[in-house]
Amino acid sequence: MKAMFYERFGEAPEVIEVPDPSPPPAGVVLRITATGLCRSDWHGWMGHDPDIGLPHVPGHEFAGVVEAVGPEVKRFKVGDRVTVPFVSGCGHCFECKSGNSQVCEEQFQPGFTHWGSYAEFMALDYADHNLVKLPDAIDDATAASLGCRFATSFRAVVDQGRLKGGEWLAVHGCGGVGLSAIMIGKALGANVVAVDISEEKLALARSLGASVAINSTRETDVAVAVRDATGGGVHVSIDALGHPSTCCNSIVNLRRRGRHVQVGLMLADHATPQLPMDRVIAHELEIYGSHGMQSWRYDAMLAMIGAGTLKPQQLIGRHISLTEAVPALMAMDRFAESGITIIDRFE
Ligand SMILES: [Zn+2]
Ligand SMILES: [Zn+2]
């Protein structure tokens, strides 16, 4: 099969022929039909992710068709159109058995712990637990675009934040995760406040449903600005960026008994921010983490997409080939693509 392959971190990947995968006993081989380009793939290629062994094939946001099944697979057959959460579960630990494979104790991630989807074919283990059947109404590129950003936002807003119609939602950071959260919040009937440093992103946030847009570079106190704009603070707030200051603003702009959801990763020096726990106690605030989304919750999201309530396809940018994806991947730190780039030609 053709695959985007690298033997050393930071050196230009090549599109070459590598051996076709075969299915594990409880797994499948998928023929990849569309796969998203994500900054996490750039970090992986640069050597920032300790899960990646060399040589490697990246890619973790995808749609595909089941090409071969292992003998233990019961729920899927050759020809099924599917996608997979970016955190896959083992299916047998306590978390997987209780429906929470997004925090599986033995989780694995195609494109990181295993070879990924920048290839014609990809093997995936524990298929019965991890595959999600795609309805006909959802095309391959849209399914691939759900990958990590949109599905992660769905869980953060709907399941962790428990956002309801008529409530206020604040979204700090209007990149892929933030814009998805704004669209999902609006679809639930909430009022959304978008916060970012870029006027361009704030304009995009407005077009996707934010009713208030706050440029944080123009405010002396972002949390006060959000509380003023919302009559006392928001019910749910999300740090979609992952920075001590956005995290703190997201907690302090809550109204009493509000819910903060941390989605943006806090890495290195940012991993242990100082948080206003005095306020968390006095106002009975709730603080959640959110990490991907389990496969069985995709049905609720896919139903909203099928009904047209959610339109993640609005976040898709360019469609490119596997060969064109090489320079696109290498340039991800220098050029902010507008929208999610989809690879759907494997040449
Ligand atoms: Zn991703
Ligand atoms: Zn597990």
Side-chain angles (χ1 to χ4, degrees):
M1 67 169 181
K2 278 204 182 70
M4 187 200 289
F5 175 94
Y6 56 82
E7 286 183 291
R8 286 196 184 80
F9 296 121
E11 279 186 12
E14 286 181 293
V15 175
I16 58 166
E17 287 285 333
V18 298
D20 287 350
S22 50
V28 294
V29 167
L30 303 179
R31 178 171 56 78
I32 303 298
T33 50
T35 176
L37 200 62
C38 176
R39 213 177 148 83
S40 308
D41 297 307
W42 179 86
H43 279 295
W45 168 66
M46 286 297 290
H48 298 164
D49 192 322
D51 285 342
I52 296 179
L54 293 171
H56 189 59
V57 174
H60 62 280
E61 308 177 351
F62 55 87
V65 176
V66 176
E67 181 80 10
V69 294
E72 294 168 21
V73 176
K74 295 187 179 73
R75 295 180 53 228
F76 295 89
K77 59 181 190 312
V78 170
D80 285 344
R81 283 181 72 234
V82 296
T83 189
V84 177
F86 79 94
V87 179
S88 283
C90 69
H92 54 255
C93 74
F94 174 81
E95 298 302 337
C96 284
K97 286 211 157 102
S98 66
N100 287 299
S101 52
Q102 79 282 7
V103 290
C104 167
E105 295 162 26
E106 298 168 38
Q107 60 188 257
F108 59 101
Q109 302 187 331
F112 300 98
T113 59
H114 294 68
W115 281 16
S117 55
Y118 292 173
E120 290 177 283
F121 300 101
M122 191 195 91
L124 187 101
D125 210 351
Y126 305 116
D128 283 339
H129 193 77
N130 292 306
L131 297 189
V132 178
K133 253 185 202 125
L134 288 172
D136 293 341
I138 294 174
D139 64 60
D140 296 329
T142 302
S145 79
L146 303 176
C148 64
R149 290 154 279 195
F150 201 85
T152 295
S153 292
F154 191 87
R155 174 165 171 75
V157 174
V158 176
D159 289 353
Q160 299 294 74
R162 308 188 309 279
L163 182 69
K164 292 184 266 309
E167 291 188 327
W168 278 100
L169 167 71
V171 177
H172 296 262
C174 299
V177 168
L179 291 174
S180 303
I182 289 164
M183 186 189 287
I184 293 160
K186 173 76 177 169
L188 293 175
N191 304 300
V192 184
V193 185
V195 183
D196 203 280
I197 57 171
S198 150
E199 284 299 324
E200 194 187 338
K201 286 189 177 163
L202 289 172
L204 208 50
R206 276 190 184 278
S207 75
L208 293 171
S211 53
V212 178
I214 292 176
N215 186 325
S216 52
T217 62
R218 297 196 188 144
E219 302 293 338
T220 46
D221 189 327
V222 172
V224 167
V226 174
R227 292 209 304 268
D228 285 349
T230 57
V234 297
H235 301 82
V236 178
S237 188
I238 289 182
D239 175 13
L241 181 69
H243 187 278
S245 66
T246 46
C247 171
C248 207
N249 287 337
S250 175
I251 293 169
V252 178
N253 71 16
L254 290 170
R255 68 177 56 209
R256 286 161 198 259
R257 309 199 72 231
R259 284 115 40 211
H260 161 78
V261 187
Q262 186 65 38
V263 183
L265 298 177
M266 301 289 243
L267 303 171
D269 296 348
H270 294 163
T272 52
Q274 287 198 319
L275 299 180
M277 294 308 280
D278 52 344
R279 196 177 182 93
V280 171
I281 296 165
H283 290 188
E284 286 199 347
L285 306 179
E286 298 175 45
I287 298 185
Y288 295 90
S290 201
H291 185 246
M293 187 168 81
Q294 59 275 63
S295 55
W296 64 270
R297 280 296 284 155
Y298 268 62
D299 284 353
M301 179 174 71
L302 294 173
M304 287 177 77
I305 297 169
T309 316
L310 287 175
K311 298 191 177 73
Q313 57 273 25
Q314 287 179 339
L315 301 172
I316 295 176
R318 296 195 295 150
H319 290 245
I320 62 175
S321 72
L322 199 55
T323 307
E324 290 165 342
V326 171
L329 175 73
M330 293 168 69
M332 277 204 101
D333 62 323
R334 282 168 284 142
F335 300 107
E337 299 255 358
S338 60
I340 296 171
T341 302
I342 299 288
I343 303 163
D344 53 7
R345 282 174 291 124
F346 292 84
E347 53 193 35

